[in-house]
Amino acid sequence: MDPAIHLLKRLVAIDSVNPSLVSGAAGETEVARALAEYMRDMGLTVHIQEVAPGRPNVVGVLDGRAPGRSLMFCGHIDTVGVAGMTRPFDPVERDGRVYGRGSQDMKSGVAAMVDAARIITASGGLDRGQLILACVVDEEHASIGAEALVTRWRADGAVVTEPTDLGIAVAHKGFEWVEVETEGVAAHGSRPRDGRDAIRMMGRVLTALDALDQELQSRTSHPLLGTASLHASLIHGGRELSSYPDRCHLQMERRTIPGEPPGSAAREVATILERLAAADPAFEAVSRSVLARSSYEIAPEHPLVRAMQGAVISAPALTGMSFWTDASVLGDAGIPSLVYGPTGAGLHGVEEWVEVASVLACRDTLSRLARRWTSGD
């Protein structure tokens, strides 16, 4: 079995469900320990960065024999939950695919980047420069791992090895989470003059958000990412059937594209609430921004992109990804980044898999890129 696939199966077999998503979940401790051991055995210098209790980033460093450019490979080691899956941590290989939670998202990318370093060390190491392997926690929730990483580590370029079907992704969307709460007046259901329906008040908000979403999707599209959008993610309110609801709580997500200013969603929602309150003095609502992550884009002419194009044998077209990645955090910290990873399906689904051949192709491309970039070619 190829070492990259052996490592992939080893990683999939370790439960690393994000505890910020699933209460009581295992977290990243064991998978971090396995990767640290593996990279030390390869001869890399390994650093452990405790981001939160029991949630360590693992950073492996391979130094060249002379100074040169640095390159970072970055991948997250947490996964989403496993509800509905029958054998999530049993990495089954079948018909050229490896199945299991995290196989595509993104333990395959982590295995590929780590094994790229193994190939380099086995063939004599780097002539110049430095290769940094960053295995980070919590990307599936708030990316506290990537945020902690960039406080200590820098590189002249980076590749985030999220799944891209072996395409070179130079842009991806951002997102903002906003909460809205409408306020009503609790009363007996038979006394309409005493009560105010917070759920019906939220209906006005939803109608306005629907109109905003249609307007966003009618704007000029980004050439790689399409348009911005929003959706109502979670809603709850009321206490019992026979009472007017005094509260209704909405959580929404706004997907952003390059060129939109930070905080767009929070400002849009605040404007909607102001307009509704002006139209009806009885309308009461508040909103707050929960989390915002910027979209990301790197110029197609950037030397890192050119170097990656030279390392990929098939020379795929540049692409964009609809999902968010830690490339945004790296980019905001001044590390030019792109996204490149294996082919698969079932992200966050009940049947997740990655194509074995694509993991090996990704690994080989990353090893070529590391040599080209660090040598200055």
Side-chain angles (χ1 to χ4, degrees), residues 15-317:
D15 178 356
S16 60
V17 172
N18 189 316
S20 296
L21 298 177
V22 179
S23 179
E28 301 94 345
T29 299
E30 290 304 317
V31 73
R33 183 178 292 119
L35 283 163
E37 175 187 343
Y38 192 91
M39 289 192 284
R40 286 193 187 101
D41 289 345
M42 286 165 44
L44 273 61
T45 303
V46 174
H47 304 264
I48 306 298
Q49 182 184 24
E50 196 78 7
V51 180
R55 308 194 70 184
N57 286 343
V58 180
V59 180
V61 179
L62 175 63
D63 286 311
R65 288 178 287 275
R69 290 193 298 196
S70 57
L71 180 66
M72 176 185 289
F73 294 153
C74 182
H76 68 84
I77 54 177
D78 62 317
T79 73
V80 296
V82 298
M85 301 182 77
T86 54
R87 299 162 66 187
F89 309 118
D90 182 7
V92 174
E93 185 173 354
R94 184 175 67 250
D95 300 327
R97 301 170 175 177
V98 173
Y99 291 80
R101 175 56 82 224
S103 57
Q104 185 192 22
D105 185 17
M106 59 167 294
K107 291 178 177 179
S108 55
V110 171
M113 74 188 205
V114 172
D115 204 53
R118 181 194 62 81
I119 287 178
I120 292 170
T121 58
S123 59
L126 293 173
D127 291 332
R128 297 194 292 276
Q130 184 183 67
L131 178 61
I132 303 164
L133 305 182
C135 305
V136 299
V137 303
D138 195 51
E139 190 274 346
E140 297 290 4
H141 181 247
S143 286
I144 61 173
E147 286 195 327
L149 176 75
V150 298
T151 65
R152 289 181 51 183
W153 297 91
R154 287 289 186 271
D156 297 312
V159 178
V160 175
T161 58
E162 290 270 15
T164 65
D165 296 339
L166 298 178
I168 302 172
V170 295
H172 66 65
K173 291 184 176 183
F175 68 90
E176 295 183 36
W177 294 341
V178 178
E179 292 184 343
V180 182
E181 186 165 274
T182 49
E183 184 175 344
V185 176
H188 194 281
S190 67
R191 297 178 177 272
R193 294 184 182 278
D194 296 338
R196 184 171 69 241
D197 189 336
I199 294 176
R200 287 172 57 191
M201 293 293 181
M202 188 63 78
R204 301 179 191 178
V205 178
L206 292 170
T207 298
L209 289 175
D210 182 63
L212 174 59
D213 181 52
Q214 293 182 46
E215 193 270 324
L216 291 173
Q217 296 195 51
S218 70
R219 295 179 185 174
T220 301
S221 295
H222 184 280
L224 296 176
L225 301 176
T227 66
S229 62
L230 67 83
H231 64 273
S233 305
L234 298 168
I235 190 168
H236 61 86
R239 300 179 186 278
E240 58 269 323
L241 282 171
S242 60
S243 298
Y244 276 79
D246 60 347
R247 301 277 176 188
C248 185
H249 187 258
L250 170 72
Q251 293 170 277
M252 57 159 284
E253 180 180 71
R254 164 85 148 78
R255 290 285 166 164
T256 60
I257 59 175
E260 294 190 295
S264 293
R267 287 190 294 273
E268 290 163 349
V269 171
T271 298
I272 286 172
L273 300 187
E274 290 170 4
R275 187 171 68 245
L276 292 173
D280 180 4
F283 178 86
E284 294 185 43
V286 294
S287 63
R288 73 180 186 98
S289 178
V290 178
L291 180 66
R293 295 296 187 196
S294 59
S295 57
Y296 180 73
E297 188 169 27
I298 185 172
E301 301 80 17
H302 192 281
L304 178 65
V305 179
R306 295 303 192 202
M308 179 57 104
Q309 289 176 309
V312 178
I313 293 176
S314 60

